[in-house]
Amino acid sequence: MKLLPIIKEYVRPLPLKAIPPIRLAVVWREKLYEFHIVIKEKTIAWLAVGFLCGMFVTYLEPLRWVRESHPDWLISLGMAEIETQAQTQHLYIHPTSEFERAPVLAQKVAEDFIIAKQILISDALIENKVSRLDQLNSDKLLEINREIAQLFCKNILQTAQTPDKVYHFFTDSIALRKIETALMEQVKYNIPASITLSRSALETAFGSRVVGNNYFNIRHKKSDPNQEEDPELRLLSLYFSEPEALLFKDWIVRTEEELAQTQPKILKCLVQNDLESYPSAWASFRAHSEMLAADKRYAPLFTKGKKYEDWADLIGSAENVAYGEGLKQIIARYQLYLLDF
């Protein structure tokens, strides 16, 4: 099939003679070089052919070969696609270098967000003649927090060059509006929104491992504390990166195998499936707030304001030091501390 004559038929009606030559001046080694680029009919025809070929190649999904033949290439970019028995798990793994070269958010952008957030809060307090957000009715509070969440996604997450997997985790509203919910829990329980969001991200590998709508891996309480359960009775197979396996080592019963040709390493682990199940993702977030509020170990945090470093350090001391550092890295990388008030 002769494609060029067809393309030229569509291109011919264009006022080609009206297109002036493009003058290009280049200075190289202190000498001035001038070029004149003339766009002719054949040029446009071949550009059209190139465009159509590009569209054709795009629809062929060339990345399918990469996914099947070299999954380690994708893992090195932070995305692993691993085939399991009945599902495909997507593990988001932060390369260490990503934290090291995290873009510094322009100070003006952060200040503008803080000012806009404060104006929203102040206007609502004045309009409703109250002095605190927790005195607002639920509908009005939800409206304010939704505006703050949308402002944060647009002005902060996008500016921070957030990876697609992470951006989707924070902004996806199918299961739950996570940022909005964290802000609501912050008002009701005085738990920094940055802590709630970073814990849910760390525990689930940015939504990759969610079992029973449990976003915080909260364990169920035994009806009889003295009763010992058979560790082999309820086991769950999950995938962890090597650093995550060290982070959650107390939860992992044993490591079954190491997936070949993956960097960083991906481990298939058996974990004790003693997790609570929740009817919804929101119920999981509420259970997390109630758990922190009821635990005496965290009582000092509720009197020291919302400095996320203090919260992360104390939670890390209850879990392990690396856990607290992981929370702080996520909060700093995505400027989640701007949501705390």
Side-chain angles (χ1 to χ4, degrees):
M1 179 179 178
K2 296 183 179 181
L3 186 61
L4 187 58
I6 297 176
I7 296 173
K8 291 172 70 174
E9 283 300 319
Y10 285 95
V11 174
R12 191 180 298 280
L14 295 175
L16 300 176
K17 295 181 179 179
I19 301 176
I22 299 174
R23 180 176 177 272
L24 180 65
V26 179
V27 178
W28 186 62
R29 293 187 177 180
E30 300 181 356
K31 292 184 179 180
L32 179 64
Y33 297 87
E34 293 187 357
F35 303 91
H36 292 268
I37 303 174
V38 179
I39 298 179
K40 294 185 178 180
E41 185 177 359
K42 288 185 178 180
T43 305
I44 294 181
W46 283 112
L47 286 175
V49 171
F51 175 79
L52 292 175
C53 291
M55 293 295 292
F56 180 73
V57 171
T58 300
Y59 283 105
L60 286 179
E61 293 188 14
L63 281 178
R64 182 179 299 173
W65 174 80
V66 178
R67 293 192 186 103
E68 295 175 355
S69 305
H70 298 279
D72 52 310
W73 294 359
L74 295 175
I75 292 172
S76 66
L77 297 176
M79 180 72 72
E81 191 166 291
I82 301 169
E83 294 294 333
T84 61
Q85 293 178 356
Q87 63 181 346
T88 299
Q89 288 196 3
H90 300 275
L91 298 181
Y92 185 78
I93 304 164
H94 271 293
T96 305
S97 56
E98 183 179 322
F99 287 108
E100 292 174 350
R101 62 171 185 268
V104 178
L105 188 66
Q107 186 175 358
K108 188 178 186 308
V109 175
E111 290 175 351
D112 289 346
F113 170 78
I114 293 173
I115 292 171
K117 179 184 71 173
Q118 193 57 47
I119 290 175
L120 286 172
I121 295 172
S122 300
D123 287 348
L125 295 177
I126 294 171
E127 179 184 347
N128 292 273
K129 299 179 181 179
V130 295
S131 58
R132 301 193 314 271
L133 286 175
D134 58 356
Q135 295 173 331
L136 295 173
N137 63 58
S138 298
D139 291 338
K140 187 61 181 178
L141 183 60
L142 184 63
E143 180 184 340
I144 295 169
N145 286 330
R146 183 164 295 171
E147 290 186 41
I148 293 174
Q150 292 172 349
L151 192 68
F152 181 80
C153 293
K154 180 180 179 181
N155 293 3
I156 304 301
L157 288 182
Q158 292 181 5
T159 305
Q161 301 174 11
T162 308
D164 291 342
K165 180 72 174 180
V166 179
Y167 187 82
H168 177 76
F169 174 76
F170 286 130
T171 59
D172 173 42
S173 59
I174 296 176
L176 182 70
R177 298 178 187 271
K178 300 179 187 70
I179 296 178
E180 180 182 303
T181 302
L183 290 169
M184 295 291 285
E185 295 300 293
Q186 179 172 241
V187 174
K188 184 173 179 62
Y189 288 93
N190 292 316
I191 298 170
S194 61
I195 291 296
T196 300
L197 291 170
S198 61
R199 285 200 83 179
S200 65
L202 183 60
E203 293 281 359
T204 65
F206 291 91
S208 303
R209 294 187 303 263
V210 182
V211 181
N213 283 321
N214 192 335
Y215 279 76
F216 300 91
N217 290 335
I218 299 173
R219 315 292 179 84
H220 70 75
K221 296 180 181 179
K222 294 182 182 179
S223 56
D224 181 6
N226 298 321
Q227 181 183 0
E228 294 186 2
E229 295 184 356
D230 184 359
E232 299 290 334
L233 188 61
R234 292 160 52 104
L235 293 179
L236 182 67
S237 179
L238 292 176
Y239 292 93
F240 292 85
S241 67
E242 197 172 32
E244 284 180 323
L246 294 174
L247 200 63
F248 297 104
K249 62 182 179 180
D250 295 336
W251 189 31
I252 296 173
V253 175
R254 67 174 178 267
T255 300
E256 283 202 320
E257 61 181 290
E258 177 183 320
L259 299 188
Q261 297 180 347
T262 59
Q263 287 296 331
K265 293 179 181 178
I266 301 295
L267 307 173
K268 184 179 180 181
C269 304
L270 288 178
V271 301
Q272 187 67 37
N273 188 12
D274 57 351
L275 299 178
E276 285 282 6
S277 293
Y278 298 97
S280 65
W282 177 87
S284 171
F285 274 64
R286 175 53 55 89
H288 171 256
S289 300
E290 292 175 345
M291 179 187 70
L292 289 181
D295 196 325
K296 294 181 180 179
R297 292 176 298 177
Y298 305 127
L301 293 173
F302 291 90
T303 61
K304 293 183 178 181
K306 293 184 174 64
K307 188 177 180 182
Y308 77 86
E309 293 93 344
D310 293 340
W311 283 78
D313 288 339
L314 189 52
I315 291 173
S317 66
E319 302 287 341
N320 59 62
V321 176
Y323 187 93
E325 291 301 316
L327 294 179
K328 287 191 284 188
Q329 282 188 335
I330 293 173
I331 292 171
R333 170 66 177 86
Y334 302 113
Q335 287 82 36
L336 299 177
Y337 55 83
L338 294 173
L339 294 167
D340 300 340
F341 57 84

